[in-house]
Amino acid sequence: MTKKNSDFFFEYYEKSNIPDTFNEVLHVQEQKTFINSNYDVDKNLDIINSIFFVPNYIVPKIDSKLFNIKKVTQFFKGYTILLDGFASVDEYLKFRFKKNAKSILKRVKRLELCFPVSYQFYYGNISEDDYDLLMNTLKKMIINRFKQRDDVSQNLLNWDHYHKIFFNLINEKKASLFVIKNDTEPICISISNHYNGKLFSSVSSYDIDYGKFSLGNIEIYKKLEWCIENGHNAYEMGMGDLSYKREWSNNIYNFEHQIIYPKKSFFVIILANIEYLKVLTKEEIYKIAYVKYKAWKAKRKKPKPFLAKYTTSKFDSESNIENLIVVDVNLENYHFLRKPFFDFLYSNMENINTVTVYEVSKHTKTYLIVGKTNRQQVIFI
């Protein structure tokens, strides 16, 4: 008797596949059943299936005449946004965030005020050139974001796999790529899987120079808008106890580990029960280890700043600027000015086309940001 391990969540969302152990699955939310075309009863009569990360809003079904099942609630929780009953993203915002819904909308409006912003969803059609450009840009964003956090990205460890599979998945409408652009520059990119009317947000990141604008929240807002307009009834965020998931999710759920085994012999029942005890023990170990990890992380020293340090101060509006040199923050030599420049746009509600950056002194690393009504001096330490 052999044992087979399967990750239900991975199979379902990344491979658009239901493990062949199950003859059908029920989506609890809409009470809709999907028949599994991959079901193979004969193959599973000689296997103990140990299937983990089954979200509780999807109920896989087995043939109870042939198989027994044991279930273990897993330690890690999942986060999803259920969209049935909401006619628009703004309606969901009001439901979820109450009075604070306006703060999300203000972020969107502020971004659109400051920059010539566009949003693009690649779903069913993307060229190889566009795909490679955007995926390489997303990779750079993730690298910079995790350098800033002084942390390790699991997505980068799997990057070659992601880059290989998502091109075809997007063109087959099994995945999508969403991008926010400032003019022609991508500033936030997200790739997602799609299956049975549900979107799983797989990998996302943003340009950290735009950190003030809360691009992560804008990304979720725009993708929820797309989901509602395109017949998707769930926005899945997967596991991982992160604050933004708790804030946005209206369904924090448990995963199950299911052990499925044929009824044919006493020996198989013993083996299945051994597997059940192993799973129970593993979940207890995860719980203890995770609590210790969280405590260690809370005590850990804060990471060293990844971006250049600087101070800002208001500048005398009467000062003469005619003889100062105008600099372009998009030139590589002046990239370090992008963050204070974008922060200035956000804080003063200025459009990028009405603000100029001047070099006061290269020696002292002093610069001047001049808008319609405000001026700010920036000195790099």
Side-chain angles (χ1 to χ4, degrees), residues 261-273:
Y261 54 99
K263 292 181 172 182
K264 67 180 186 178
S265 75
F266 181 69
F267 177 65
V268 172
I269 295 172
I270 292 174
L271 292 177
N273 276 280

Side-chain angles (χ1 to χ4, degrees), residues 104-119 180-183 187 210 213 215 218 222 341-355 372-374:
I104 304 293
L105 295 173
K106 283 180 181 178
R107 299 279 186 176
V108 177
K109 291 178 181 177
R110 186 70 58 90
L111 181 69
E112 294 173 352
L113 169 68
C114 295
F115 304 103
V117 172
S118 63
Y119 309 97
I180 304 174
K181 291 183 179 180
N182 166 16
D183 195 12
I187 61 175
Y210 294 81
F213 287 87
L215 292 178
I218 297 174
K222 285 295 177 180
F341 176 50
F342 296 155
D343 286 357
F344 178 89
L345 298 180
Y346 179 89
S347 299
N348 294 284
M349 291 187 288
E350 293 264 16
N351 183 273
I352 190 171
N353 294 319
T354 65
V355 180
K372 281 185 174 181
T373 56
N374 293 288

Side-chain angles (χ1 to χ4, degrees), residues 94-109:
K94 290 176 183 177
F95 162 79
R96 183 63 194 161
F97 293 95
K98 305 296 189 291
K99 294 179 180 179
N100 293 327
K102 291 181 179 179
S103 67
I104 304 293
L105 295 173
K106 283 180 181 178
R107 299 279 186 176
V108 177
K109 291 178 181 177

Side-chain angles (χ1 to χ4, degrees), residues 19 106 147 152 174 189 243 267 320 344:
K106 283 180 181 178
K147 279 184 179 177
V152 176
K174 294 179 180 178
I189 301 173
S243 59
F267 177 65
N320 186 11
F344 178 89

Side-chain angles (χ1 to χ4, degrees), residues 60-324:
K61 300 296 183 70
I62 61 170
D63 186 339
S64 58
K65 294 178 182 178
L66 299 174
F67 301 100
N68 283 324
I69 184 170
K70 287 183 174 292
K71 300 178 181 180
V72 177
T73 299
Q74 295 186 260
F75 172 67
F76 294 107
K77 293 185 180 297
Y79 299 80
T80 191
I81 300 170
L82 303 178
L83 294 169
D84 277 339
F86 298 102
S88 69
V89 62
D90 291 344
E91 190 175 310
Y92 180 77
L93 280 189
K94 290 176 183 177
F95 162 79
R96 183 63 194 161
F97 293 95
K98 305 296 189 291
K99 294 179 180 179
N100 293 327
K102 291 181 179 179
S103 67
I104 304 293
L105 295 173
K106 283 180 181 178
R107 299 279 186 176
V108 177
K109 291 178 181 177
R110 186 70 58 90
L111 181 69
E112 294 173 352
L113 169 68
C114 295
F115 304 103
V117 172
S118 63
Y119 309 97
Q120 189 166 3
F121 229 101
Y122 294 92
Y123 180 61
N125 184 28
I126 189 170
S127 71
E128 198 162 354
D129 287 343
D130 285 345
Y131 176 77
D132 287 338
L133 173 65
L134 291 168
M135 288 295 282
N136 289 335
T137 303
L138 174 56
K139 183 179 180 180
K140 291 176 184 176
M141 289 177 176
I142 296 171
I143 290 170
N144 287 336
R145 179 73 180 109
F146 277 80
K147 279 184 179 177
Q148 184 188 45
R149 289 172 50 178
D150 191 26
D151 207 346
V152 176
S153 167
Q154 294 300 315
N155 290 326
L156 289 178
L157 298 177
N158 297 317
W159 192 257
D160 290 343
H161 170 70
Y162 289 135
H163 199 125
K164 180 180 179 181
I165 67 168
F166 269 97
F167 177 72
N168 287 334
L169 291 176
I170 292 168
N171 283 295
E172 293 168 0
K173 289 191 173 182
K174 294 179 180 178
S176 62
L177 188 151
F178 172 68
V179 57
I180 304 174
K181 291 183 179 180
N182 166 16
D183 195 12
T184 60
E185 176 195 11
I187 61 175
C188 180
I189 301 173
S190 172
I191 50 177
S192 305
N193 297 93
H194 298 249
Y195 191 48
N196 287 340
K198 301 185 188 301
L199 178 150
F200 167 50
S201 186
S202 181
V203 184
S204 301
S205 197
Y206 59 88
D207 186 329
I208 58 177
D209 289 336
Y210 294 81
K212 197 86 168 176
F213 287 87
S214 191
L215 292 178
N217 283 321
I218 297 174
E219 171 212 328
I220 295 173
Y221 175 87
K222 285 295 177 180
K223 284 163 66 180
L224 285 177
E225 182 178 61
W226 185 93
C227 284
I228 292 172
E229 292 175 357
N230 289 272
H232 283 55
N233 62 9
Y235 181 106
E236 174 62 60
M237 292 181 281
M239 71 186 71
D241 183 28
L242 299 172
S243 59
Y244 80 89
K245 293 183 181 182
R246 293 194 300 271
E247 290 166 3
W248 279 93
S249 175
N250 64 350
N251 181 41
I252 300 174
Y253 61 86
N254 292 110
F255 288 102
E256 282 185 344
H257 192 137
Q258 301 186 359
I259 297 100
I260 299 153
Y261 54 99
K263 292 181 172 182
K264 67 180 186 178
S265 75
F266 181 69
F267 177 65
V268 172
I269 295 172
I270 292 174
L271 292 177
N273 276 280
I274 291 172
E275 174 66 10
Y276 174 72
L277 291 173
K278 285 181 180 178
V279 171
L280 277 175
T281 303
K282 183 176 68 175
E283 290 303 323
E284 284 301 314
I285 292 171
Y286 279 154
K287 182 177 180 180
I288 295 167
Y290 185 73
V291 170
K292 289 184 177 180
Y293 169 75
K294 292 285 281 186
W296 169 81
K297 198 168 184 179
K299 293 178 181 178
R300 194 176 60 155
K301 292 181 180 179
K302 291 183 179 180
K304 295 178 181 178
F306 171 62
L307 298 172
K309 284 186 176 182
Y310 57 86
T311 61
T312 61
S313 59
K314 287 188 177 181
F315 197 77
D316 182 2
S317 60
E318 301 301 321
S319 299
N320 186 11
I321 60 173
E322 292 179 2
N323 297 323
L324 299 179

Side-chain angles (χ1 to χ4, degrees), residues 1-15:
M1 178 65 61
T2 59
K3 186 186 77 170
K4 180 183 176 183
N5 295 313
S6 302
D7 183 334
F8 183 94
F9 195 90
F10 172 82
E11 290 280 334
Y12 198 79
Y13 282 107
E14 184 168 308
K15 292 189 175 182

